Amino acid sequence: MQQSKSSPDIIKKKRRTSTAGSGKISKKAETSTYPIVQLQNVKRIYTLGENKIYALNGVSFAIKKGDFVTIMGSSGSGKSTLLNMIGCLDLPTSGKVKVNNVDLSKLDDDGLTEIRRNNIGFIFQQFNLIPTLTALENVEIPMIFNGESPVRRRKKALAMLKKADLPLEYADHKPNEMSGGQQQRVAIARALANNPPILLADEPTGNLDTRTGHNIMELLKELNAAGTTVIVVTHDPKLEEYAHTTIRIQDGEII
Amino acid sequence: MRYELFIALRHIKARKRQTILSVAAIGIAVMILMVSQAFMAGFTQELYDKTVNNLPHVVVSPQTGDDYIHLYKNIILRVNNIDGVIASSPHLTGEASFKFKDNTKNAVLKGIIPAQEDAVAHIKKDIVKGNFDELAYSDKSIVIGQKFADDMQLELGDRVEISFPNANPMSLKVIAIYDTGTALDESITYTSLQTAQDFYDTGDVINGISLRLADFNRDREIAQMIKNDGYNAAGWSDTNPEILRTIAIESVSNNITIGFILLIASFGVVSTLNMVVMAKIKEIGILLAMGARKSNIRLIFLIESGLLGLAGALLGTAAGVVLALSIGGYPLPQGVYGLTYIPVLVRTNDVIIIITIVFLLNLIAGIYPAQRAASLDPVEAISTR
């Protein structure tokens, strides 16, 4: 079990455990046995009038640190709900979700925010960049909420953009001045901003052409090779080939 | 705070039209507020100038039971020594019947020592015809108001007959005419103290001393000091309570109106910000996913509403000051309430208070939309298109 390391930049009374992401995992991180994401009999039930919808119906699995996982499922299978659970955006109706060994059910909003901020980097199908900010500023956002100094932020954001293979002349471009692939690179750079141990990608190639999509997946693969756990939620069977592990979900259950 | 400010500024910049409209809404309300405050202050000032400034601030009157103050020179010396008294004027005042040709009228005849009365009541500045100082050396002369002169068809140099029961009838020469634009013009006439004493046949006595104070707000205090000395005395705010009452009524009704205007403007901010929240739902979701706390989101929107309020307040007061001053510079046609200009007074204090209140009001108005933004569900927010 990993011991708590207090990260110096944020003091938080609710901090329960480590922010494993703040210390970068070594390159050849042998996938340890320590599951970075763990779900135990997770149910998520939405009530619509008198109907109960079982978006997740008793899902259990564990994802090891350093793994590259695709969660496959068709639309309505519950994979988005699953993604929200892992991303600390939503809590289960019953069951247990642990991220980096922290039981999410015991956290309040701010606690969830903190776990999310320190452990998860989000990549969306729609890129979800903030349209009024430049590429560089978009990448700075998560670091801003993490309390990084402006100078360090800028430096790190540039490094992340470089890591995501965005040509630097685009750093001061707004999202609408970039192609889809470039926007997704900015989004990946943003997801990497706080060095999270987990990258959570929701249909990352869904809005890209095949070649750009391939390039983005290659980038994710490289990041995985450098130690980051990558979880890709998709309905596209082609993405399976990039992954070490595939979890299939249908009607709220693992198959 | 800095990054919330950064994001709030971006929101404001990105939505230029809405920003301009909501700042304009607040600005216009503030402008109205500023102008009306300037009018209010100007009106109050004018009222003081026209009334309190010309009134004796404190009047010393005979002891209870006496008609006159005997040995008044002694008393004058003593009140002049009171700190805060800058001038004093003994007078003998009474009623008199005036007759000129076929016109008759009753009015007050006030016997004064001209230089001293002017020091207290600033009569000279209202003289429109003739020479007020002549009262001092020209026996059997009188100074009348313009309205009185019109009613009696009197001109400078005419002789008006005065009489009263138990008084010695005499004829006085009009040597000056004053015009204050108030009701005084019709009802008060001035003659020399000596002439009044001859007319009423009283000997060397007076029935009042008018005092002028450095600060007219101390009238009650100083009146009390004189009372403690054994004389009767009253401040202007006790003898003319209607002046204070008028000002109070005006300012209450003015403040109520202004309060409503500000309330409406603040609701404008609420609805504008609500629209911003609606438009920014997805972005709020993204920020939440990127590690923003709910408190960060709340602060962003509070800052926005504060900034909009501040911008509106600053622009509004600036426009209001300019508008008020230009209205104040516009000459009125003659004879409107005795005013030649609309009274306008812009006070730094008012400007600061208005800006502060509008800013705070907008912060308060921003609480609801900010709270709404902060309580958005990140999952739903992100999936909004």
Side-chain angles (χ1 to χ4, degrees):
Chain A
M1 279 288 139
Q2 185 160 343
Q3 283 300 307
S4 283
K5 275 189 285 182
S6 61
S7 106
D9 43 13
I10 282 204
I11 298 124
K12 183 72 177 77
K13 54 179 186 297
K14 273 255 171 188
R15 183 180 295 273
R16 280 161 197 275
T17 187
S18 75
T19 58
S22 46
K24 196 91 172 105
I25 299 164
S26 70
K27 203 159 192 167
K28 286 262 166 184
E30 282 314 310
T31 50
S32 66
T33 49
Y34 161 25
I36 193 145
V37 174
Q38 211 176 351
L39 279 76
Q40 287 166 14
N41 198 23
V42 167
K43 290 187 181 176
R44 182 67 172 96
I45 303 164
Y46 296 103
T47 314
L48 264 183
E50 300 201 343
N51 296 330
K52 283 188 167 177
I53 296 164
Y54 286 77
L56 293 178
N57 193 7
V59 170
S60 300
F61 64 80
I63 294 171
K64 280 178 289 183
K65 198 183 265 180
D67 205 353
F68 193 131
V69 182
T70 50
I71 297 176
M72 298 281 300
S74 54
S75 151
S77 59
K79 62 181 193 303
S80 289
T81 311
L82 197 53
L83 175 106
N84 293 335
M85 297 283 163
I86 301 170
C88 312
L89 288 169
D90 198 4
L91 287 174
T93 312
S94 70
K96 209 178 249 186
V97 178
K98 281 180 163 183
V99 171
N100 219 344
N101 221 26
V102 179
D103 185 354
L104 301 188
S105 62
K106 291 180 179 151
L107 298 178
D108 62 2
D109 275 341
D110 279 355
L112 279 178
T113 300
E114 183 149 342
I115 295 294
R116 183 159 70 231
R117 184 200 294 155
N118 292 317
N119 293 283
I120 315 277
F122 284 95
I123 299 164
F124 303 94
Q125 178 178 1
Q126 308 285 342
F127 321 132
N128 282 349
L129 298 174
I130 294 177
T132 50
L133 303 184
T134 65
L136 195 65
E137 287 165 347
N138 263 291
V139 179
E140 284 185 55
I141 288 285
M143 295 189 263
I144 283 174
F145 292 122
N146 214 8
E148 298 252 24
S149 75
V151 180
R152 226 176 106 75
R153 227 154 60 198
R154 189 125 300 206
K155 219 174 126 190
K156 248 176 104 180
L158 280 170
M160 293 304 165
L161 283 174
K162 202 173 163 202
K163 209 166 171 181
D165 282 336
L166 185 83
L168 279 191
E169 65 259 33
Y170 287 100
D172 57 353
H173 283 218
K174 298 260 172 74
N176 61 4
E177 299 161 345
M178 289 183 280
S179 70
Q182 287 163 339
Q183 289 188 52
Q184 195 60 299
R185 288 182 190 281
V186 176
I188 291 173
R190 178 179 64 179
L192 292 171
N194 285 337
N195 297 323
I198 305 168
L199 274 186
L200 202 51
D202 184 10
E203 302 280 10
T205 61
N207 269 16
L208 302 174
D209 61 63
T210 317
R211 225 188 97 197
T212 317
H214 172 73
N215 291 342
I216 292 293
M217 288 309 290
E218 283 298 323
L219 174 60
L220 290 180
K221 232 172 125 178
E222 280 170 37
L223 295 169
N224 174 249
T228 310
T229 308
V230 177
I231 303 170
V232 176
V233 177
T234 184
H235 69 282
D236 183 357
K238 282 200 294 265
L239 300 192
E240 235 182 288
E241 63 187 77
Y242 300 94
H244 307 149
T245 315
T246 298
I247 296 169
R248 283 170 213 285
I249 182 165
Q250 193 181 342
D251 297 331
E253 290 173 27
I254 304 286
I255 50 171
Chain B
M1 174 80 182
R2 245 181 313 158
Y3 41 91
E4 283 96 342
L5 179 66
F6 170 75
I7 293 170
L9 281 174
R10 281 305 170 108
H11 280 180
I12 288 172
K13 266 198 230 162
R15 296 172 66 82
K16 285 201 185 75
R17 196 179 307 158
Q18 280 86 344
T19 302
I20 291 170
L21 283 177
S22 53
V23 167
I26 304 161
I28 289 169
V30 172
M31 185 182 77
I32 296 170
L33 176 66
M34 189 65 233
V35 170
S36 101
Q37 187 60 36
F39 280 173
M40 189 65 222
F43 165 80
T44 308
Q45 181 73 44
E46 181 73 16
L47 198 62
Y48 278 126
D49 277 352
K50 279 260 148 57
T51 56
V52 181
N53 206 31
N54 295 332
L55 283 173
H57 296 157
V58 174
V59 174
V60 183
S61 48
Q63 284 168 330
T64 319
D66 281 355
D67 286 337
Y68 303 109
I69 302 174
H70 305 271
L71 304 172
Y72 59 90
K73 283 167 185 145
N74 213 353
I75 303 163
I76 288 178
L77 275 179
R78 283 166 65 181
V79 293
N80 280 346
N81 278 334
I82 296 175
D83 181 42
V85 174
I86 54 173
S88 61
S89 168
H91 55 85
L92 179 65
T93 304
E95 284 257 345
S97 296
F98 294 77
K99 184 163 186 293
F100 179 67
K101 292 179 182 164
D102 288 337
N103 304 318
T104 58
K105 205 174 173 67
N106 272 21
V108 173
L109 179 71
K110 194 169 183 185
I112 54 170
I113 298 167
Q116 282 179 252
E117 180 70 8
D118 184 54
V120 171
H122 297 171
I123 301 174
K124 264 206 265 189
K125 70 173 167 42
D126 293 323
I127 296 294
V128 290
K129 283 178 203 156
N131 182 3
F132 177 76
D133 292 328
E134 218 181 307
L135 265 189
Y137 49 82
S138 171
D139 200 22
K140 303 280 186 285
S141 56
I142 189 166
V143 174
I144 58 176
Q146 183 67 56
K147 182 80 172 42
F148 184 89
D150 291 347
D151 289 354
M152 297 283 284
Q153 295 172 300
L154 277 164
E155 296 287 343
L156 215 56
D158 286 342
R159 300 195 79 90
V160 59
E161 305 291 328
I162 62 168
S163 62
F164 209 65
N166 303 325
N168 304 320
M170 51 179 71
S171 120
L172 302 178
K173 183 181 168 197
V174 176
I175 53 150
I177 295 175
Y178 70 88
D179 187 0
T180 61
T182 67
L184 296 180
D185 296 3
E186 198 179 355
S187 60
I188 294 192
T189 63
Y190 298 95
T191 186
S192 68
L193 183 58
Q194 180 66 54
T195 306
Q197 286 167 346
D198 290 349
F199 176 64
Y200 291 112
D201 200 12
T202 58
D204 190 12
V205 298
I206 58 170
N207 58 7
I209 305 169
S210 306
L211 303 182
R212 183 169 189 81
L213 308 181
D215 174 6
F216 61 67
N217 290 314
R218 289 181 63 202
D219 62 323
R220 287 185 183 177
E221 174 197 339
I222 287 175
Q224 189 56 48
M225 287 162 77
I226 296 169
K227 276 193 215 165
N228 293 344
D229 248 11
Y231 298 94
N232 272 336
W236 66 269
S237 53
D238 284 325
T239 48
N240 299 71
E242 71 281 357
I243 295 176
L244 285 181
R245 204 158 50 224
T246 308
I247 290 169
I249 291 170
E250 286 288 335
S251 63
V252 165
S253 67
N254 199 43
N255 288 343
I256 290 174
T257 316
I258 284 166
F260 279 120
I261 294 171
L262 272 186
L263 213 60
I264 293 165
S266 306
F267 268 101
V269 174
V270 177
S271 69
T272 307
L273 271 188
N274 257 324
M275 271 157 47
V276 175
V277 172
M278 291 293 285
K280 297 286 177 195
I281 285 180
K282 194 185 180 89
E283 183 176 321
I284 293 165
I286 298 168
L287 290 175
L288 287 168
M290 294 303 127
R293 291 216 182 104
K294 286 182 185 298
S295 55
N296 296 132
I297 302 291
R298 195 178 300 124
L299 191 54
I300 288 171
F301 284 89
L302 278 181
I303 290 174
E304 275 184 53
S305 104
L307 284 178
L308 291 179
L310 195 61
L314 291 175
L315 290 175
T317 36
V321 168
V322 170
L323 187 62
L325 291 178
S326 56
I327 290 175
Y330 186 78
L332 284 175
Q334 281 287 312
V336 181
Y337 313 116
L339 300 173
T340 47
Y341 287 92
I342 296 175
V344 161
L345 181 66
V346 175
R347 291 181 295 201
T348 323
N349 249 1
D350 290 344
V351 173
I352 294 169
I353 289 172
I354 287 173
I355 291 176
T356 314
I357 287 180
V358 171
F359 175 67
L360 291 179
L361 214 56
N362 274 283
L363 270 190
I364 294 168
I367 290 175
Y368 169 70
Q371 192 54 41
R372 227 187 103 194
S375 55
L376 282 175
D377 176 22
V379 176
E380 282 173 34
I382 293 173
S383 52
T384 313
R385 292 194 180 234

